[in-house]
Tab-separated table of all heavy atoms in Angstrom:
chain	number	residue	atom	x	y	z
A	112	ALA	N	68.871	220.904	-2.248
A	112	ALA	CA	69.980	220.785	-3.131
A	112	ALA	C	70.049	219.402	-3.711
A	112	ALA	O	70.394	219.194	-5.002
A	112	ALA	CB	71.279	221.166	-2.444
A	113	ALA	N	69.827	218.381	-2.850
A	113	ALA	CA	69.887	216.993	-3.352
A	113	ALA	C	68.831	216.746	-4.285
A	113	ALA	O	69.017	216.001	-5.302
A	113	ALA	CB	69.740	216.058	-2.094
A	114	LEU	N	67.638	217.280	-4.085
A	114	LEU	CA	66.529	217.052	-5.022
A	114	LEU	C	66.800	217.732	-6.423
A	114	LEU	O	66.459	217.193	-7.442
A	114	LEU	CB	65.194	217.582	-4.427
A	114	LEU	CG	64.580	216.811	-3.277
A	114	LEU	CD1	63.412	217.565	-2.698
A	114	LEU	CD2	64.276	215.458	-3.659
A	115	LYS	N	67.394	218.864	-6.305
A	115	LYS	CA	67.795	219.551	-7.567
A	115	LYS	C	68.808	218.742	-8.334
A	115	LYS	O	68.866	218.817	-9.598
A	115	LYS	CB	68.322	220.985	-7.329
A	115	LYS	CG	67.329	221.926	-6.987
A	115	LYS	CD	67.913	223.306	-6.793
A	115	LYS	CE	66.802	224.316	-6.436
A	115	LYS	NZ	67.417	225.615	-6.171
A	116	GLY	N	69.593	217.919	-7.638
A	116	GLY	CA	70.643	217.145	-8.333
A	116	GLY	C	70.178	215.851	-8.867
A	116	GLY	O	70.836	215.186	-9.626
A	117	LEU	N	68.890	215.515	-8.563
A	117	LEU	CA	68.190	214.324	-9.132
A	117	LEU	C	67.847	214.543	-10.614
A	117	LEU	O	67.556	215.614	-10.954
A	117	LEU	CB	66.998	213.964	-8.356
A	117	LEU	CG	67.220	213.441	-6.878
A	117	LEU	CD1	65.841	213.257	-6.208
A	117	LEU	CD2	67.989	212.201	-6.802
A	118	PRO	N	67.783	213.400	-11.341
A	118	PRO	CA	67.256	213.555	-12.672
A	118	PRO	C	65.761	214.010	-12.533
A	118	PRO	O	65.103	213.759	-11.578
A	118	PRO	CB	67.334	212.078	-13.195
A	118	PRO	CG	68.343	211.381	-12.394
A	118	PRO	CD	68.282	212.099	-11.008
A	119	GLU	N	65.339	214.715	-13.515
A	119	GLU	CA	63.986	215.272	-13.539
A	119	GLU	C	62.881	214.297	-13.183
A	119	GLU	O	62.025	214.562	-12.426
A	119	GLU	CB	63.670	216.042	-14.824
A	119	GLU	CG	62.355	216.709	-14.912
A	119	GLU	CD	62.062	217.309	-16.246
A	119	GLU	OE1	62.951	217.536	-17.106
A	119	GLU	OE2	60.912	217.509	-16.493
A	120	THR	N	62.987	213.129	-13.864
A	120	THR	CA	61.931	212.151	-13.648
A	120	THR	C	61.923	211.706	-12.195
A	120	THR	O	60.824	211.592	-11.598
A	120	THR	CB	62.215	210.919	-14.554
A	120	THR	OG1	62.221	211.327	-15.901
A	120	THR	CG2	61.141	209.813	-14.407
A	121	ASP	N	63.059	211.498	-11.607
A	121	ASP	CA	63.108	211.028	-10.186
A	121	ASP	C	62.552	212.102	-9.251
A	121	ASP	O	61.782	211.898	-8.344
A	121	ASP	CB	64.508	210.721	-9.768
A	121	ASP	CG	65.014	209.387	-10.406
A	121	ASP	OD1	64.115	208.678	-10.968
A	121	ASP	OD2	66.176	209.109	-10.375
A	122	ARG	N	62.920	213.316	-9.513
A	122	ARG	CA	62.432	214.485	-8.758
A	122	ARG	C	60.884	214.658	-8.827
A	122	ARG	O	60.199	214.800	-7.860
A	122	ARG	CB	63.108	215.808	-9.199
A	122	ARG	CG	62.766	216.985	-8.326
A	122	ARG	CD	63.576	218.286	-8.727
A	122	ARG	NE	63.522	218.603	-10.134
A	122	ARG	CZ	64.599	218.432	-10.959
A	122	ARG	NH1	65.742	217.995	-10.533
A	122	ARG	NH2	64.459	218.697	-12.307
A	125	LEU	N	59.085	211.923	-6.764
A	125	LEU	CA	59.110	212.189	-5.362
A	125	LEU	C	58.103	213.306	-4.999
A	125	LEU	O	57.332	213.218	-4.031
A	125	LEU	CB	60.517	212.743	-4.884
A	125	LEU	CG	61.543	211.654	-4.692
A	125	LEU	CD1	62.818	212.206	-4.178
A	125	LEU	CD2	61.058	210.472	-3.798
A	156	ILE	N	65.902	206.248	-4.603
A	156	ILE	CA	66.070	207.713	-4.330
A	156	ILE	C	66.061	207.897	-2.765
A	156	ILE	O	66.973	208.598	-2.293
A	156	ILE	CB	64.877	208.514	-4.928
A	156	ILE	CG1	64.923	208.409	-6.471
A	156	ILE	CG2	65.052	209.998	-4.554
A	156	ILE	CD1	63.599	208.938	-7.125
A	159	ARG	N	69.451	206.804	-1.583
A	159	ARG	CA	70.443	207.757	-1.911
A	159	ARG	C	70.373	209.031	-1.027
A	159	ARG	O	71.434	209.435	-0.534
A	159	ARG	CB	70.383	208.131	-3.343
A	159	ARG	CG	71.528	209.061	-3.850
A	159	ARG	CD	71.513	209.421	-5.290
A	159	ARG	NE	70.688	208.563	-6.185
A	159	ARG	CZ	70.211	208.976	-7.284
A	159	ARG	NH1	70.352	210.249	-7.668
A	159	ARG	NH2	69.498	208.194	-8.091
A	160	LEU	N	69.154	209.478	-0.804
A	160	LEU	CA	69.015	210.642	0.131
A	160	LEU	C	69.441	210.324	1.617
A	160	LEU	O	69.994	211.165	2.224
A	160	LEU	CB	67.555	211.191	0.074
A	160	LEU	CG	67.105	211.731	-1.252
A	160	LEU	CD1	65.722	212.101	-1.252
A	160	LEU	CD2	67.963	212.985	-1.594
Side-chain angles (χ1 to χ4, degrees):
L114 290 175
K115 284 183 182 178
L117 291 174
E119 181 185 342
T120 301
D121 290 349
R122 185 174 50 252
L125 286 182
I156 297 165
R159 188 177 337 153
L160 292 175

